[in-house]
Amino acid sequence: MKFDSRICVAGGDTLIGAAILRRLLIQGYKEAINRREPEPDLTDGAETEAFFARYVPEYVFLAAGKSGGIQENMARPAELMRDNLLVTTSVVHAAWKTGVRKLLYLASSCSYPRNSPQPMAVGSLMSGPLEPTNEPYAMAKMAGVSLCRAYRLQYGADFFSVFPANAFGPGDDFRPESSHVIPALLRKMHEAKMAGAPFVDVWGSGRPRREFIYSDDLADSCIYLMQKYDRPGPVNVGGGTTVSIGELAALVQEVVGYRGVLRFDSSKPDGMPLKSLDSGELAAMGWQPATPLREALATTYDWFLSMSSTEAVWDREDRTSEGTVHSDGE
Ligand code: GFB
């Protein structure tokens, strides 16, 4: 990939896609095509093909498709699955038709079987049942991995997949009903601090463990892999730090400066007991995540504060919706 290569980030408005676009521009790649024309509806195969035919990108980062936290996955499994299947099929096919040189597909660590040995190595994929709370989404993401492999097998296309740890960062979704745990806890604790609320409810037992990666680090790893990776993949991208949800909540509490009590709400699901990735292949290539978890949380909180008066982060209805601290703490 050269600085004047034609690059498409499909899903340039997602957390990871936006981070990839940002990091591409900072690193000097000027031709990221999403800057010139709004992205088409990528669930529409014809629109997607027309878009690719106009720009003929050489490199594609496929970060498109709806995603959400554990509650969103349980509430909207059909929407998440359908959207991801359609978007992936459209983009992979359009990329092949227009002769894209290399495509990187963002998969999800939730496609690993629920009881995979930890840390999870790519050899464990498809070796057992998935976590039920996100099975439809996880299955759709795994179909994307398989689709990339199929285009490689049948057409010799250089399409490969990346399994990232749980990503978070500026631009994340902070809505209680759909957010992942980090934006959810940042927002809950911020609102509780502002309201002087005595408790914040943390879902589940606090015992599940997750590996987190800062979105800019993940974006850098994707650009690095696009430049250097020459195998069929897939490849894991961990964030280097695995913590329990209880430990994470305590860290978020420190970052936000909330002094109340954390209550674990066992009526809410835990999801997968442990998700940690074996990132040995990427480490052996010489890439490591750069941002410590605490620093990344603080930067994300700063972004949230800077945006908190706009609809990008919340709206009036959300402020009183279930899942915020108001339910019990006041
Ligand atoms: O981030 P999260 O929604 O996703 O939840 P998953 C991680 C853990 O944090 C779970 C707990 O054990 C949650 O119960 N948690 C505690 C909370 N408080 C909260 C809260 O206020 N909000 C949220 N959301 N969680 C998702 C998958 O699983 O991971 C997706 O459902 C996707 O498919 C994503 O793959 C990366 O790690 O459990």
Side-chain angles (χ1 to χ4, degrees):
M1 195 165 66
K2 303 197 184 77
F3 288 125
D4 60 352
S5 295
R6 297 173 68 82
I7 303 166
C8 170
V9 182
D13 58 347
T14 61
L15 170 71
I16 301 173
I20 293 174
L21 270 176
R22 203 163 54 233
R23 299 301 296 173
L24 280 169
L25 295 176
I26 287 172
Q27 292 185 27
Y29 294 93
K30 304 291 183 210
E31 294 296 317
I33 64 176
N34 309 51
R35 290 160 67 222
R36 294 204 213 121
E37 186 183 341
E39 216 169 66
D41 173 5
L42 295 173
T43 62
D44 184 313
E47 269 194 49
T48 307
E49 279 186 34
F51 179 75
F52 271 68
R54 276 198 301 281
Y55 285 103
V56 199
E58 298 166 80
Y59 298 90
V60 173
F61 294 88
L62 176 39
K66 291 186 177 152
S67 66
I70 193 165
Q71 181 160 291
E72 177 84 339
N73 271 270
M74 293 170 77
R76 300 178 192 276
E79 276 173 58
L80 290 181
M81 184 170 190
R82 179 173 184 275
D83 183 79
N84 277 280
L85 287 172
L86 289 174
V87 159
T88 307
T89 311
S90 300
V91 175
V92 166
H93 190 65
W96 166 70
K97 261 188 111 171
T98 47
V100 163
R101 296 163 75 112
K102 198 166 181 177
L103 178 146
L104 183 157
Y105 172 67
L106 263 305
S108 170
S109 62
C110 67
S111 298
Y112 275 94
R114 176 180 162 83
N115 293 320
S116 299
Q118 302 286 331
M120 303 185 293
V122 293
S124 291
L125 289 164
M126 307 284 287
S127 65
L130 298 168
E131 158 62 34
T133 55
N134 60 29
E135 184 191 301
Y137 173 77
M139 194 80 91
K141 295 302 283 185
M142 198 60 216
V145 174
S146 193
L147 194 66
C148 289
R149 202 182 296 137
Y151 275 71
R152 175 180 287 274
L153 284 172
Q154 186 171 346
Y155 304 122
D158 190 1
F159 296 176
F160 72 105
S161 302
V162 164
F163 282 86
N166 284 26
F168 71 99
D172 218 333
D173 176 5
F174 281 80
R175 291 169 300 170
E177 67 278 10
S178 51
S179 52
H180 288 92
V181 62
I182 288 181
L185 291 181
L186 283 169
R187 176 173 174 173
K188 281 191 211 181
M189 294 207 205
H190 175 75
E191 292 185 342
K193 180 173 113 172
M194 291 317 195
F199 305 109
V200 161
D201 288 325
V202 179
W203 296 352
S205 65
R207 285 193 298 272
R209 297 182 72 80
R210 295 285 181 273
E211 183 176 14
F212 293 102
I213 185 162
Y214 185 51
S215 52
D216 277 9
D217 285 349
L218 175 55
D220 284 347
S221 76
C222 290
I223 296 168
Y224 184 87
L225 285 164
M226 190 65 107
Q227 290 161 334
K228 301 203 189 273
Y229 196 69
D230 58 4
R231 290 190 282 269
V235 55
N236 284 337
V237 179
T241 313
T242 302
V243 291
S244 72
I245 297 303
E247 290 162 346
L248 173 74
L251 201 52
V252 170
Q253 186 170 23
E254 259 178 63
V255 166
V256 171
Y258 171 61
R259 293 175 187 279
V261 172
L262 303 182
R263 297 194 303 199
F264 291 92
D265 176 0
S266 55
S267 70
K268 297 284 189 186
D270 269 345
M272 223 155 131
L274 171 55
K275 263 194 281 185
S276 164
L277 291 169
D278 175 349
S279 308
E281 187 179 13
L282 186 55
M285 287 175 70
W287 190 89
Q288 296 281 356
T291 319
L293 180 59
R294 195 182 200 293
E295 184 186 324
L297 289 172
T299 311
T300 307
Y301 183 47
D302 285 347
W303 180 86
F304 172 76
L305 291 178
S306 73
M307 297 296 287
S308 60
S309 59
T310 76
E311 297 215 344
V313 175
W314 57 37
D315 56 47
R316 278 177 195 288
E317 273 175 24
D318 280 345
R319 277 173 168 266
T320 52
S321 65
E322 194 191 358
T324 68
V325 71
H326 304 297
S327 53
D328 283 309
E330 293 176 346

